Amino acid sequence: MRILKLLAVLLVAGLGTAALWYLPNRPVPLDPPPGGKLKSVSFAPFRDGQSPLTRVYPSTGQIDEDLAAIAPQVAGIRTYTSLEGLEVVPELAKKHGLQVTMGAWLSSKLDKNEAEVNSLIALANRYPDTITRVIVGNEVLLRGELTPEQITGYLRKVKAAIKQPVSYADVWEWWLKYPQMAKEVDYITIHLLPYWEDIPASVEKGAEHIAWSYREISQRFPGKPILIGETGWPTAGRARGAAAPGLVAKAQFINQVIRLAGKEGFDVNIIEAFDQNWKQKLEGTVGGHWGLYTVDRKPKFSLAGPVVENPKWIEHAALAVIAGSALVGVLAASGPALPLSGLAALAVLSDGFASLYLHAADLGVHWSYYWQDLTLTAVMLALTGALGLCILMAAHRVLAGRALPAESLRGLVGDIGYGRLDRVGAVVTLALTALLVAWSFLIVFDGRYRNFPTWYAAVPALGLPILGWLRAGRRPAGTDWRSAMAAGSLFRPAVTVARTPVRAPRAELWLGRLLLAGATLTLLAEGVLPVDAPLRGWLAGTSAMPLSAIDWAHPNVEALVWAGLQALLSLPFLASARLARLARAARPAGAARPGEVRP
């Protein structure tokens, strides 16, 4: 009978877990886009282990393979350099029937600039039918590496040497700041990336934002041809204001842009063909995930739909159910029998922990590329996994027992009990929370390229209060709910009461305060939009978006969730601090303070 109850509980919990995985991964239909191929995509054929930063470049064979892979879907490509092994692109593109917008990379390295420009001129003259236009320099003014006069010199040199139209590419607002550049080019190349705008736009308003910005440029420079040289949407990384990365979001955005371009006659280049993990060094996780294809050269979705946010959700759900069921089985076999309600609660907790942990592990591995990111991921997963197991073991002990005895207040530092579960639970709680606090303030003050640690925080922020709530149901009569929630005794087989404490829980007090401060600052700095971006733009004179562009209906949900998790996580720590104050208030007049010796 006990086995049958266990199997029934695991089955119901497993079905519930599968349903929770399915809900955010329901297929999203897309209207088939008009026309056939995409007109143009950005082409940077770097693979893992290759990067212009390390000067390890793709081979001719790899470039040929990449062009062959995208040729059925696109009519043309845009490159950003005429060196670094990409000199072979025009010849190979001709072989695959692709037109090329060839670029020359300009930077503060003047000798390299000359080599780039000379190579561009030579290629444009050698392949006049394949290279239909060229772009000299990409966001050089944005990076502040050259002056408008220096860029103008390179533009004039190229225009005098080739027959194809010549342009310079930069963020659309920088053309408004440096309007003199327009007379030096045959066509204006603007970058319109709603995700990176000072006031980010949601995917629902992405096409509207592009149309508005395009009109601003066309009205400022009437009669000048315009190329949208970059537009796209990331599939991984942190949210910025209303702009949240995702696979479905990218598919919807690209679908909208194709329709907008067809309706308005816009000339559009999509960024980009393949994910580029090396860019994470410059722009964080989000920088490496703008591709229509993964770094393994697999298409992410079909433009005709339907699209699923996590195509592997069935495998992940199955792993979560198997892992959660195994945890329940081990705990049930190693301790006293649980009532049906206790078994059900343990199964829900186990499946929930397994789901959160597997999702965090999947994102951590997928989003990390460089060794420092992989190391941080490993540390966070180790701490999160250890804490989750401690919470499950402590919950099993509570669910299997009766009323918990009372004991004096204990702290996480210096008085962590004598059992292994007490020690490990306290140390891991302290370490993980301290890391999350540090991460929170880094996001607030230097967060442009930092991910929110939402999935790492979910286990402690949800698990610790739930454990406290379970303990509250077993606390002695007449004790405060905080006695069951106090961080210092969450993993002990007893409930804290407001007596004179053994040690003032200063660590808990400061962690609780810092978590609340982090939550508040997160709401202010990231809740609606990243406030530092428009401030910098307005100070630099490059922010052309009006305040009315703020999408109040689409706040940064990821930031709000992260702030909420910090507030939840603060509860056990503030409960300890509150009990300490109650204990001091209840101390008889004239009694010695903890640790105080009186004659």
Side-chain angles (χ1 to χ4, degrees):
M1 183 62 71
R2 182 181 178 184
I3 297 296
L4 291 178
K5 286 184 179 180
L6 176 61
L7 292 176
V9 166
L10 293 179
L11 176 61
V12 174
L15 291 174
T17 300
L20 290 176
W21 277 90
Y22 168 73
L23 288 175
N25 291 296
R26 288 169 291 179
V28 177
L30 296 174
D31 293 330
K37 298 181 177 182
L38 295 174
K39 186 169 184 179
S40 179
V41 297
S42 294
F43 181 74
F46 295 99
R47 307 184 181 207
D48 279 353
Q50 301 171 345
S51 164
L53 303 178
T54 58
R55 299 182 181 180
V56 178
Y57 306 121
S59 66
T60 299
Q62 290 173 330
I63 295 173
D64 190 35
E65 290 175 2
D66 288 348
L67 291 173
I70 65 174
Q73 285 78 42
V74 304
I77 59 172
R78 175 193 171 185
T79 72
Y80 292 81
T81 177
S82 292
L83 298 174
E84 300 177 352
L86 268 66
E87 300 93 328
V88 302
V89 165
E91 182 177 351
L92 295 176
K94 181 178 181 180
K95 167 186 169 183
H96 294 289
L98 297 169
Q99 292 186 330
V100 179
T101 300
M102 201 74 190
W105 186 263
L106 299 183
S107 67
S108 57
K109 300 177 181 178
L110 302 184
D111 55 341
K112 180 76 176 294
N113 293 346
E114 288 296 330
E116 281 276 1
V117 167
N118 291 336
S119 179
L120 176 64
I121 291 172
L123 291 171
N125 288 328
R126 190 181 310 158
Y127 301 99
D129 296 329
T130 301
I131 299 177
T132 57
R133 56 192 174 189
V134 303
I135 297 176
V136 181
N138 182 75
E139 297 185 352
V140 190
L141 294 174
L142 174 67
R143 299 193 306 272
E145 293 194 59
L146 295 175
T147 65
E149 292 74 23
Q150 289 174 302
I151 298 172
T152 296
Y154 293 120
L155 287 168
R156 291 176 178 176
K157 178 178 179 179
V158 174
K159 287 178 70 175
I162 68 173
K163 296 180 179 179
Q164 294 94 327
V166 179
S167 183
Y168 163 73
D170 217 317
V171 176
W172 68 278
E173 292 165 311
W174 288 78
W175 285 96
L176 300 178
K177 183 175 182 178
Y178 297 102
Q180 68 270 29
M181 297 298 298
K183 65 181 181 181
E184 302 294 340
V185 298
D186 298 312
Y187 64 100
I188 294 173
T189 302
I190 58 175
H191 293 172
L192 296 174
L193 300 167
Y195 174 88
W196 281 125
E197 290 289 349
D198 290 342
I199 300 177
S202 65
V203 69
E204 292 82 2
K205 294 190 175 182
E208 177 184 331
H209 167 80
I210 288 175
W212 185 89
S213 303
Y214 188 100
R215 285 194 296 269
E216 287 290 306
I217 296 296
S218 63
Q219 291 171 6
R220 181 65 179 81
F221 306 105
K224 204 78 170 181
I226 299 172
L227 166 66
I228 300 177
E230 284 185 2
T231 193
W233 201 270
T235 54
R238 56 154 293 162
R240 295 188 72 247
L247 198 60
V248 171
K250 183 180 184 71
Q252 292 173 330
F253 179 80
I254 299 299
N255 195 280
Q256 292 172 14
V257 168
I258 293 173
R259 295 179 180 282
L260 177 67
K263 177 182 177 182
E264 302 291 342
F266 293 167
D267 192 358
V268 177
N269 174 79
I270 302 294
I271 184 169
E272 59 188 322
F274 306 105
D275 280 349
Q276 301 285 299
N277 275 330
W278 66 270
K279 289 184 178 179
Q280 294 190 45
K281 193 174 187 67
L282 305 175
E283 299 176 351
T285 296
V286 72
H289 295 88
W290 289 78
L292 295 168
Y293 293 74
T294 68
V295 73
D296 298 320
R297 276 45 186 172
K298 297 177 181 178
K300 293 183 178 180
F301 55 85
S302 168
L303 287 174
V307 184
V308 176
E309 186 63 45
N310 178 5
K312 296 183 178 180
W313 76 267
I314 295 178
E315 296 97 311
H316 293 170
L319 283 174
V321 171
I322 292 171
S325 299
L327 288 171
V328 173
V330 170
L331 291 171
S334 61
L338 292 174
L340 184 60
S341 59
L343 200 58
L346 188 63
V348 170
L349 284 175
S350 297
D351 280 10
F353 163 65
S355 294
L356 290 173
Y357 188 80
L358 284 171
H359 191 64
D362 178 57
L363 293 183
V365 172
H366 178 60
W367 289 10
S368 301
Y369 179 66
Y370 290 98
W371 70 266
Q372 57 268 37
D373 298 322
L374 290 169
T375 301
L376 179 60
T377 295
V379 170
M380 297 302 292
L381 288 176
L383 291 174
T384 303
L387 182 60
L389 292 175
C390 288
I391 290 173
L392 289 177
M393 293 170 66
H396 175 257
R397 184 170 59 188
V398 172
L399 293 169
R402 296 185 178 180
L404 295 171
E407 68 174 4
S408 296
L409 178 65
R410 295 178 180 272
L412 283 173
V413 178
D415 184 29
I416 57 176
Y418 301 98
R420 180 179 300 176
L421 179 59
D422 306 342
R423 290 194 296 269
V424 174
V427 170
V428 173
T429 297
L430 190 64
L432 183 56
T433 304
L435 283 174
L436 291 173
V437 166
W439 202 323
S440 176
F441 282 88
L442 285 172
I443 285 178
V444 169
F445 295 106
D446 185 27
R448 183 174 176 86
Y449 302 123
R450 298 183 191 277
N451 297 325
F452 291 99
T454 308
W455 294 104
Y456 298 132
V459 169
L462 299 176
L464 294 178
I466 288 174
L467 177 59
W469 176 72
L470 292 176
R471 286 164 51 83
R474 302 287 195 274
R475 73 182 190 273
T479 56
D480 190 270
W481 65 269
R482 300 177 188 84
S483 63
M485 184 71 70
S489 59
L490 271 176
F491 299 100
R492 292 182 58 76
V495 169
T496 294
V497 293
R499 299 171 183 163
T500 302
V502 175
R503 177 185 293 270
R506 294 181 180 177
E508 288 92 319
L509 177 61
W510 279 106
L511 285 174
R513 288 174 173 174
L514 289 172
L515 284 167
L516 284 182
T520 303
L521 291 173
T522 298
L523 291 175
L524 294 174
E526 298 276 359
V528 176
L529 76 162
V531 295
D532 64 311
L535 286 176
R536 284 199 303 266
W538 290 325
L539 290 174
T542 58
S543 185
M545 296 295 293
L547 286 176
S548 59
I550 298 176
D551 192 352
W552 298 101
H554 292 86
N556 188 334
V557 175
E558 189 176 16
L560 298 182
V561 170
W562 166 230
L565 290 176
Q566 291 179 82
L568 278 175
L569 184 53
S570 72
L571 294 178
F573 301 99
L574 296 178
S576 289
R578 176 60 178 168
L579 285 174
R581 286 194 292 271
L582 291 175
R584 287 194 293 271
R587 186 175 61 245
R593 297 177 181 272
E596 180 182 359
V597 178
R598 294 189 176 184

